[in-house]
Amino acid sequence: MLDNCPKCGSLFVRTQFRDVCDACYKEEEKLFEKVYAFIRKRENRTATMPQVVDATGVEEALIIKWIKKGRLQLVHFPNLGYPCEKCGATIREGRLCAKCIGGIQKEMTKIQQEEERQRQAKRQTTYFTERRKDG
């Protein structure tokens, strides 16, 4: 699909593997190598996201992109993570933190219980008719 690069605006062919133009992709690769070289060092493996950003100058959004794409394996870097899409808490996998998932599951359970209550109420509805006495 033909698209404009979100970084520089130039025209490029977007694929499932590339979301930026070739020039920006090459620049991102240089930045990736810089980040990876930093966190790969034994003394930096426990660095937090702000520490990595400060040390490398690479923006957090780009590092999060690499984590979500699986280019940076968090199993090797215990203090790295990215924000929950609902509350912003730091997480290491998925899109939501455990607290937000629990809250959504509670809400779903309430909705299902209410729907079941309404179905039961419909089945138990009794209709009465009034008989007229002619006479």
PDB file of all heavy atoms in Angstrom, residues 89-112:
ATOM      1  N   ALA A  89       0.133   2.042  33.517  1.00  0.00           N
ATOM      2  CA  ALA A  89       1.064   1.304  34.377  1.00  0.00           C
ATOM      3  C   ALA A  89       2.063   0.547  33.498  1.00  0.00           C
ATOM      4  O   ALA A  89       1.736   0.138  32.383  1.00  0.00           O
ATOM      5  CB  ALA A  89       0.301   0.324  35.263  1.00  0.00           C
ATOM      6  N   THR A  90       3.267   0.355  33.985  1.00  0.00           N
ATOM      7  CA  THR A  90       4.288  -0.347  33.216  1.00  0.00           C
ATOM      8  C   THR A  90       3.971  -1.838  33.168  1.00  0.00           C
ATOM      9  O   THR A  90       3.727  -2.465  34.194  1.00  0.00           O
ATOM     10  CB  THR A  90       5.688  -0.133  33.837  1.00  0.00           C
ATOM     11  OG1 THR A  90       5.956   1.268  33.839  1.00  0.00           O
ATOM     12  CG2 THR A  90       6.764  -0.841  33.041  1.00  0.00           C
ATOM     13  N   ILE A  91       3.963  -2.381  31.948  1.00  0.00           N
ATOM     14  CA  ILE A  91       3.715  -3.809  31.739  1.00  0.00           C
ATOM     15  C   ILE A  91       4.821  -4.383  30.867  1.00  0.00           C
ATOM     16  O   ILE A  91       5.599  -3.647  30.259  1.00  0.00           O
ATOM     17  CB  ILE A  91       2.331  -4.065  31.086  1.00  0.00           C
ATOM     18  CG1 ILE A  91       2.200  -3.330  29.739  1.00  0.00           C
ATOM     19  CG2 ILE A  91       1.226  -3.676  32.033  1.00  0.00           C
ATOM     20  CD1 ILE A  91       0.912  -3.639  28.988  1.00  0.00           C
ATOM     21  N   ARG A  92       4.878  -5.697  30.789  1.00  0.00           N
ATOM     22  CA  ARG A  92       5.934  -6.360  30.030  1.00  0.00           C
ATOM     23  C   ARG A  92       5.388  -7.205  28.887  1.00  0.00           C
ATOM     24  O   ARG A  92       6.145  -7.700  28.059  1.00  0.00           O
ATOM     25  CB  ARG A  92       6.778  -7.204  30.969  1.00  0.00           C
ATOM     26  CG  ARG A  92       7.506  -6.336  32.002  1.00  0.00           C
ATOM     27  CD  ARG A  92       8.297  -7.123  32.991  1.00  0.00           C
ATOM     28  NE  ARG A  92       9.231  -8.055  32.425  1.00  0.00           N
ATOM     29  CZ  ARG A  92      10.436  -7.740  31.953  1.00  0.00           C
ATOM     30  NH1 ARG A  92      10.832  -6.493  31.950  1.00  0.00           N
ATOM     31  NH2 ARG A  92      11.225  -8.667  31.470  1.00  0.00           N
ATOM     32  N   GLU A  93       4.068  -7.396  28.847  1.00  0.00           N
ATOM     33  CA  GLU A  93       3.472  -8.159  27.754  1.00  0.00           C
ATOM     34  C   GLU A  93       2.018  -7.760  27.582  1.00  0.00           C
ATOM     35  O   GLU A  93       1.399  -7.225  28.497  1.00  0.00           O
ATOM     36  CB  GLU A  93       3.585  -9.664  28.017  1.00  0.00           C
ATOM     37  CG  GLU A  93       2.824 -10.124  29.236  1.00  0.00           C
ATOM     38  CD  GLU A  93       2.994 -11.606  29.512  1.00  0.00           C
ATOM     39  OE1 GLU A  93       3.809 -12.259  28.839  1.00  0.00           O
ATOM     40  OE2 GLU A  93       2.307 -12.112  30.407  1.00  0.00           O
ATOM     41  N   GLY A  94       1.484  -8.032  26.416  1.00  0.00           N
ATOM     42  CA  GLY A  94       0.088  -7.716  26.149  1.00  0.00           C
ATOM     43  C   GLY A  94      -0.154  -6.234  25.968  1.00  0.00           C
ATOM     44  O   GLY A  94       0.767  -5.458  25.711  1.00  0.00           O
ATOM     45  N   ARG A  95      -1.413  -5.860  26.112  1.00  0.00           N
ATOM     46  CA  ARG A  95      -1.788  -4.461  25.924  1.00  0.00           C
ATOM     47  C   ARG A  95      -2.301  -3.812  27.202  1.00  0.00           C
ATOM     48  O   ARG A  95      -2.352  -2.598  27.306  1.00  0.00           O
ATOM     49  CB  ARG A  95      -2.851  -4.373  24.836  1.00  0.00           C
ATOM     50  CG  ARG A  95      -2.316  -4.829  23.477  1.00  0.00           C
ATOM     51  CD  ARG A  95      -3.378  -4.917  22.438  1.00  0.00           C
ATOM     52  NE  ARG A  95      -3.934  -3.605  22.161  1.00  0.00           N
ATOM     53  CZ  ARG A  95      -4.927  -3.393  21.330  1.00  0.00           C
ATOM     54  NH1 ARG A  95      -5.482  -4.395  20.697  1.00  0.00           N
ATOM     55  NH2 ARG A  95      -5.378  -2.183  21.119  1.00  0.00           N
ATOM     56  N   LEU A  96      -2.727  -4.665  28.172  1.00  0.00           N
ATOM     57  CA  LEU A  96      -3.298  -4.155  29.414  1.00  0.00           C
ATOM     58  C   LEU A  96      -2.625  -4.800  30.615  1.00  0.00           C
ATOM     59  O   LEU A  96      -2.186  -5.947  30.547  1.00  0.00           O
ATOM     60  CB  LEU A  96      -4.799  -4.461  29.468  1.00  0.00           C
ATOM     61  CG  LEU A  96      -5.665  -3.894  28.357  1.00  0.00           C
ATOM     62  CD1 LEU A  96      -7.079  -4.443  28.451  1.00  0.00           C
ATOM     63  CD2 LEU A  96      -5.683  -2.378  28.409  1.00  0.00           C
ATOM     64  N   CYS A  97      -2.603  -4.074  31.732  1.00  0.00           N
ATOM     65  CA  CYS A  97      -2.044  -4.615  32.973  1.00  0.00           C
ATOM     66  C   CYS A  97      -3.070  -5.561  33.607  1.00  0.00           C
ATOM     67  O   CYS A  97      -4.250  -5.571  33.243  1.00  0.00           O
ATOM     68  CB  CYS A  97      -1.681  -3.490  33.943  1.00  0.00           C
ATOM     69  SG  CYS A  97      -3.102  -2.569  34.584  1.00  0.00           S
ATOM     70  N   ALA A  98      -2.619  -6.339  34.582  1.00  0.00           N
ATOM     71  CA  ALA A  98      -3.487  -7.315  35.249  1.00  0.00           C
ATOM     72  C   ALA A  98      -4.678  -6.630  35.927  1.00  0.00           C
ATOM     73  O   ALA A  98      -5.792  -7.147  35.908  1.00  0.00           O
ATOM     74  CB  ALA A  98      -2.689  -8.120  36.259  1.00  0.00           C
ATOM     75  N   LYS A  99      -4.453  -5.465  36.523  1.00  0.00           N
ATOM     76  CA  LYS A  99      -5.529  -4.746  37.205  1.00  0.00           C
ATOM     77  C   LYS A  99      -6.633  -4.343  36.220  1.00  0.00           C
ATOM     78  O   LYS A  99      -7.824  -4.511  36.499  1.00  0.00           O
ATOM     79  CB  LYS A  99      -4.953  -3.511  37.899  1.00  0.00           C
ATOM     80  CG  LYS A  99      -5.946  -2.748  38.731  1.00  0.00           C
ATOM     81  CD  LYS A  99      -5.283  -1.574  39.433  1.00  0.00           C
ATOM     82  CE  LYS A  99      -6.293  -0.745  40.188  1.00  0.00           C
ATOM     83  NZ  LYS A  99      -5.682   0.432  40.804  1.00  0.00           N
ATOM     84  N   CYS A 100      -6.239  -3.813  35.068  1.00  0.00           N
ATOM     85  CA  CYS A 100      -7.236  -3.397  34.064  1.00  0.00           C
ATOM     86  C   CYS A 100      -7.958  -4.605  33.472  1.00  0.00           C
ATOM     87  O   CYS A 100      -9.168  -4.557  33.241  1.00  0.00           O
ATOM     88  CB  CYS A 100      -6.570  -2.573  32.972  1.00  0.00           C
ATOM     89  SG  CYS A 100      -6.063  -0.924  33.540  1.00  0.00           S
ATOM     90  N   ILE A 101      -7.229  -5.685  33.241  1.00  0.00           N
ATOM     91  CA  ILE A 101      -7.862  -6.918  32.736  1.00  0.00           C
ATOM     92  C   ILE A 101      -8.881  -7.413  33.743  1.00  0.00           C
ATOM     93  O   ILE A 101     -10.012  -7.769  33.378  1.00  0.00           O
ATOM     94  CB  ILE A 101      -6.804  -8.001  32.429  1.00  0.00           C
ATOM     95  CG1 ILE A 101      -6.000  -7.605  31.187  1.00  0.00           C
ATOM     96  CG2 ILE A 101      -7.462  -9.366  32.226  1.00  0.00           C
ATOM     97  CD1 ILE A 101      -4.808  -8.492  30.909  1.00  0.00           C
ATOM     98  N   GLY A 102      -8.504  -7.414  35.033  1.00  0.00           N
ATOM     99  CA  GLY A 102      -9.429  -7.836  36.089  1.00  0.00           C
ATOM    100  C   GLY A 102     -10.675  -6.975  36.121  1.00  0.00           C
ATOM    101  O   GLY A 102     -11.787  -7.480  36.278  1.00  0.00           O
ATOM    102  N   GLY A 103     -10.496  -5.670  35.979  1.00  0.00           N
ATOM    103  CA  GLY A 103     -11.639  -4.755  35.970  1.00  0.00           C
ATOM    104  C   GLY A 103     -12.571  -5.007  34.800  1.00  0.00           C
ATOM    105  O   GLY A 103     -13.797  -5.002  34.952  1.00  0.00           O
ATOM    106  N   ILE A 104     -11.996  -5.246  33.643  1.00  0.00           N
ATOM    107  CA  ILE A 104     -12.810  -5.532  32.456  1.00  0.00           C
ATOM    108  C   ILE A 104     -13.549  -6.857  32.631  1.00  0.00           C
ATOM    109  O   ILE A 104     -14.731  -6.964  32.290  1.00  0.00           O
ATOM    110  CB  ILE A 104     -11.925  -5.542  31.186  1.00  0.00           C
ATOM    111  CG1 ILE A 104     -11.454  -4.119  30.883  1.00  0.00           C
ATOM    112  CG2 ILE A 104     -12.675  -6.136  30.002  1.00  0.00           C
ATOM    113  CD1 ILE A 104     -10.399  -4.025  29.801  1.00  0.00           C
ATOM    114  N   GLN A 105     -12.856  -7.859  33.197  1.00  0.00           N
ATOM    115  CA  GLN A 105     -13.513  -9.150  33.422  1.00  0.00           C
ATOM    116  C   GLN A 105     -14.666  -9.023  34.407  1.00  0.00           C
ATOM    117  O   GLN A 105     -15.722  -9.634  34.215  1.00  0.00           O
ATOM    118  CB  GLN A 105     -12.489 -10.184  33.911  1.00  0.00           C
ATOM    119  CG  GLN A 105     -11.549 -10.633  32.815  1.00  0.00           C
ATOM    120  CD  GLN A 105     -10.407 -11.505  33.312  1.00  0.00           C
ATOM    121  OE1 GLN A 105     -10.028 -11.448  34.475  1.00  0.00           O
ATOM    122  NE2 GLN A 105      -9.868 -12.314  32.418  1.00  0.00           N
ATOM    123  N   LYS A 106     -14.498  -8.204  35.455  1.00  0.00           N
ATOM    124  CA  LYS A 106     -15.583  -7.973  36.419  1.00  0.00           C
ATOM    125  C   LYS A 106     -16.778  -7.335  35.729  1.00  0.00           C
ATOM    126  O   LYS A 106     -17.925  -7.716  35.961  1.00  0.00           O
ATOM    127  CB  LYS A 106     -15.118  -7.066  37.554  1.00  0.00           C
ATOM    128  CG  LYS A 106     -14.404  -7.766  38.654  1.00  0.00           C
ATOM    129  CD  LYS A 106     -14.096  -6.781  39.781  1.00  0.00           C
ATOM    130  CE  LYS A 106     -13.274  -7.432  40.859  1.00  0.00           C
ATOM    131  NZ  LYS A 106     -12.901  -6.482  41.907  1.00  0.00           N
ATOM    132  N   GLU A 107     -16.507  -6.329  34.892  1.00  0.00           N
ATOM    133  CA  GLU A 107     -17.589  -5.655  34.169  1.00  0.00           C
ATOM    134  C   GLU A 107     -18.310  -6.632  33.231  1.00  0.00           C
ATOM    135  O   GLU A 107     -19.537  -6.606  33.134  1.00  0.00           O
ATOM    136  CB  GLU A 107     -17.050  -4.467  33.369  1.00  0.00           C
ATOM    137  CG  GLU A 107     -16.644  -3.292  34.240  1.00  0.00           C
ATOM    138  CD  GLU A 107     -17.797  -2.715  35.036  1.00  0.00           C
ATOM    139  OE1 GLU A 107     -18.891  -2.524  34.473  1.00  0.00           O
ATOM    140  OE2 GLU A 107     -17.597  -2.463  36.237  1.00  0.00           O
ATOM    141  N   MET A 108     -17.537  -7.483  32.559  1.00  0.00           N
ATOM    142  CA  MET A 108     -18.148  -8.475  31.656  1.00  0.00           C
ATOM    143  C   MET A 108     -19.036  -9.442  32.440  1.00  0.00           C
ATOM    144  O   MET A 108     -20.130  -9.787  31.994  1.00  0.00           O
ATOM    145  CB  MET A 108     -17.066  -9.246  30.895  1.00  0.00           C
ATOM    146  CG  MET A 108     -16.321  -8.428  29.873  1.00  0.00           C
ATOM    147  SD  MET A 108     -17.377  -7.823  28.543  1.00  0.00           S
ATOM    148  CE  MET A 108     -17.852  -9.340  27.773  1.00  0.00           C
ATOM    149  N   THR A 109     -18.573  -9.857  33.612  1.00  0.00           N
ATOM    150  CA  THR A 109     -19.363 -10.758  34.457  1.00  0.00           C
ATOM    151  C   THR A 109     -20.661 -10.076  34.879  1.00  0.00           C
ATOM    152  O   THR A 109     -21.732 -10.689  34.829  1.00  0.00           O
ATOM    153  CB  THR A 109     -18.548 -11.185  35.700  1.00  0.00           C
ATOM    154  OG1 THR A 109     -17.364 -11.849  35.254  1.00  0.00           O
ATOM    155  CG2 THR A 109     -19.339 -12.105  36.603  1.00  0.00           C
ATOM    156  N   LYS A 110     -20.587  -8.803  35.271  1.00  0.00           N
ATOM    157  CA  LYS A 110     -21.796  -8.057  35.655  1.00  0.00           C
ATOM    158  C   LYS A 110     -22.774  -7.982  34.487  1.00  0.00           C
ATOM    159  O   LYS A 110     -23.980  -8.153  34.658  1.00  0.00           O
ATOM    160  CB  LYS A 110     -21.436  -6.642  36.107  1.00  0.00           C
ATOM    161  CG  LYS A 110     -20.848  -6.551  37.471  1.00  0.00           C
ATOM    162  CD  LYS A 110     -20.566  -5.081  37.811  1.00  0.00           C
ATOM    163  CE  LYS A 110     -19.842  -4.930  39.116  1.00  0.00           C
ATOM    164  NZ  LYS A 110     -19.508  -3.520  39.394  1.00  0.00           N
ATOM    165  N   ILE A 111     -22.250  -7.695  33.303  1.00  0.00           N
ATOM    166  CA  ILE A 111     -23.106  -7.591  32.109  1.00  0.00           C
ATOM    167  C   ILE A 111     -23.776  -8.930  31.819  1.00  0.00           C
ATOM    168  O   ILE A 111     -24.980  -8.987  31.554  1.00  0.00           O
ATOM    169  CB  ILE A 111     -22.288  -7.096  30.897  1.00  0.00           C
ATOM    170  CG1 ILE A 111     -21.895  -5.631  31.100  1.00  0.00           C
ATOM    171  CG2 ILE A 111     -23.064  -7.287  29.597  1.00  0.00           C
ATOM    172  CD1 ILE A 111     -20.870  -5.118  30.107  1.00  0.00           C
ATOM    173  N   GLN A 112     -22.996 -10.010  31.892  1.00  0.00           N
ATOM    174  CA  GLN A 112     -23.561 -11.337  31.637  1.00  0.00           C
ATOM    175  C   GLN A 112     -24.624 -11.693  32.667  1.00  0.00           C
ATOM    176  O   GLN A 112     -25.672 -12.259  32.326  1.00  0.00           O
ATOM    177  CB  GLN A 112     -22.448 -12.392  31.624  1.00  0.00           C
ATOM    178  CG  GLN A 112     -21.555 -12.293  30.415  1.00  0.00           C
ATOM    179  CD  GLN A 112     -20.302 -13.160  30.528  1.00  0.00           C
ATOM    180  OE1 GLN A 112     -19.928 -13.593  31.618  1.00  0.00           O
ATOM    181  NE2 GLN A 112     -19.658 -13.404  29.398  1.00  0.00           N
TER     182      GLN A 112
END
